[in-house]
Amino acid sequence: MFAGWRGRMTVHKNIPASLNIDAIRAEFPILQREINGRPLVYLDSAASAQKPEFVIESVAGVYRASYANVHRGLHTLANETTEAFEAAREDVRRFLNAKSANEIVFTRGSTEAINLVAHTFCQMLAPGDEIIISRMEHHSNIVPWILLSEKNGFALKWADVTEAGELDYEQLAGLVNDRTRLIAITHMSNVLGTVNDIARIRAIPGVAEIPLLLDGSQSAVHLAVDVQALDCDFFVFTGHKLYGPSGAGALYARGDWLDRLPPYMGGGEMIADVFEDRVTFADVPHKFEAGTPAIADVIGLGAAIRWVERHDRVAVMEHERALMDRAMTGLAEIDGLTVIGTAQDKGAIISFHMEGAHPHDVAQILDKYGVAVRAGHHCAQPLMRRLGLSATARASFALYNTFEEADAFVDALKKARKFLI
C-alpha cells in the first residue's frame, strides 16, 4: 500500500491574486445547490467537472439560434454552424499548441480517441510486435489494446508503478526493445494524481524513435499542455472533465499520422467519392469524422476551452495544489486513513482508504454532509490489484473549490470515521 505523503505540507492561506474564486463559483449554477440540507461540496471533478454558465449558454445558443448540420449545407444556418464547429477545432489546436488544426480530430471523448488510434495503428502491426502501457492506466487505455492483441497477435507489455505511486522508469526502460512499436501511457493518473515525466520517458534509449500516445484526460484540465514540447505523437482528452459538455473530446495526431492511418469508421462526411466498387476518402481530419458529429457539444467544448483560457494556468495549478495540501494536512490527523499515491508534484487528486470501512460506505456518509466524492476502482482495476485493494474513495479538486470546502471534506471524514469504526 502506498502510505505517507512526500509532497508539500504547507498550509496555503492565500488564493493567487489573479483568481477571484467567489466570482468563478458564481458562474456555476449547480454550485448553489444544497444536498441533504447542506451546501454542495463537489469533489468529483476528476470523473466529470461542473459547467459554467458560459458553456451552458453556448450549447443552448446553438439550438436556439443557429443549428444545422455542418459542412454539407449552403444555407445561412449551415454556414454559421460550420463556422462555429471549425472555430472549436482551432480552439483545440491553440489549447494544445498543435501546429495545425488538421492535426485535430473530434471524438466523443478520450475513450473513442484511444480506440481510434488503437484500431487503426494496430493494422500496421505484425505478430510479435510489442506495445507498452502502464499499470496506472484507465481502462480506456487498457481494454482496446487487450482486445486487439488477442486479435492481431502483438504482445502487450506492462510498465510498473513504484511504492510512491510513480511510474517505474527503470523497469519501463527494460521493456523497450527493437520490437516496441508504441508506448501508450497516461499523462496524469486519475487515481494517484501522478504526473508522468514525459521528457524522462523520451530520454530512455530507443524511445525517441517510438510513437508515443498520451492520455491527457486529467492533464488537459490541470496542466498547461503543449503537445510540441511533450514530443508526443498522439494526445487525447475529453470535454466533460474540462468544464465542457459530455460527448465531445479530441485527438491530436502529429504531422502526417492521420494521412498514414486508415479510416476508423465509414459513412458520410469522411468520404470524397463513393462508387459501386471503391471509395476515396476526404482530406484529414474529416477522414476520421464519419457521420453527423455532436455539433452543439463540440461548439460547447470550444467554449469551455475559451473559458479555461480566461484564467492564469499557473495560478489555477497553485490554487488546486494548495487545496490538496490543505486537505492532506487535515487527513494526517485521522487515524487509520491511508492516502494512496504520494508522488512529488502530483495533481489535485486524493485517493484514500479508511481502515475498517468500505469506500462505498465512506462516500455515502460524506454525501449526508453534502460532500460528493467518488468511490470504486475508478476504471483502473490493474492498479487496484497492484495496490492490494478492491476500491478507494477519491476526492478531486477543481478551480471552483475553496479552502472552506477542503476543511468541510476533512470534517465530514472525521464524522464518518466515528460512525463507521
Side-chain angles (χ1 to χ4, degrees), residues 136 159-162 166-173 196 200:
M136 68 172 69
D160 210 348
V161 178
T162 70
E166 297 174 332
L167 186 67
D168 189 332
Y169 296 94
E170 292 185 5
Q171 190 262 349
L172 170 60
N196 287 322
R200 185 172 177 181

Side-chain angles (χ1 to χ4, degrees), residues 172-234:
L172 170 60
L175 298 177
V176 176
N177 58 52
D178 59 5
R179 300 298 294 176
T180 306
R181 297 293 179 259
L182 178 77
I183 297 174
I185 201 160
T186 186
H187 192 192
M188 176 178 166
S189 169
N190 71 307
V191 178
L192 306 168
T194 302
V195 178
N196 287 322
D197 187 341
I198 307 306
R200 185 172 177 181
I201 294 173
R202 275 299 193 197
I204 293 172
V207 170
E209 294 76 35
I210 297 172
L212 177 65
L213 181 150
L214 298 181
D215 179 357
S217 301
Q218 300 295 332
S219 65
V221 183
H222 301 288
L223 307 176
V225 171
D226 183 333
V227 292
Q228 295 187 65
L230 287 169
D231 190 25
C232 60
D233 296 88
F234 305 101

Side-chain angles (χ1 to χ4, degrees), residues 91-204:
D91 289 331
V92 175
R93 183 214 64 77
R94 182 184 64 253
F95 184 65
L96 299 181
N97 193 34
K99 285 185 178 180
S100 170
N102 289 337
E103 296 175 318
I104 306 300
V105 175
F106 287 124
T107 66
R108 290 179 297 168
S110 296
T111 298
E112 184 176 64
I114 293 171
N115 272 272
L116 188 160
V117 175
H119 281 80
T120 57
F121 186 89
C122 288
Q123 292 184 45
M124 302 187 299
L125 300 183
D129 287 344
E130 298 178 0
I131 288 177
I132 297 174
I133 62 175
S134 83
R135 296 195 188 280
M136 68 172 69
E137 301 308 311
H138 188 281
H139 291 167
S140 295
N141 199 31
I142 296 175
V143 177
W145 306 112
I146 290 177
L147 294 175
L148 289 164
S149 68
E150 293 171 349
K151 178 181 178 180
N152 294 9
F154 64 86
L156 193 60
K157 302 294 184 179
W158 293 80
D160 210 348
V161 178
T162 70
E163 288 301 312
E166 297 174 332
L167 186 67
D168 189 332
Y169 296 94
E170 292 185 5
Q171 190 262 349
L172 170 60
L175 298 177
V176 176
N177 58 52
D178 59 5
R179 300 298 294 176
T180 306
R181 297 293 179 259
L182 178 77
I183 297 174
I185 201 160
T186 186
H187 192 192
M188 176 178 166
S189 169
N190 71 307
V191 178
L192 306 168
T194 302
V195 178
N196 287 322
D197 187 341
I198 307 306
R200 185 172 177 181
I201 294 173
R202 275 299 193 197
I204 293 172

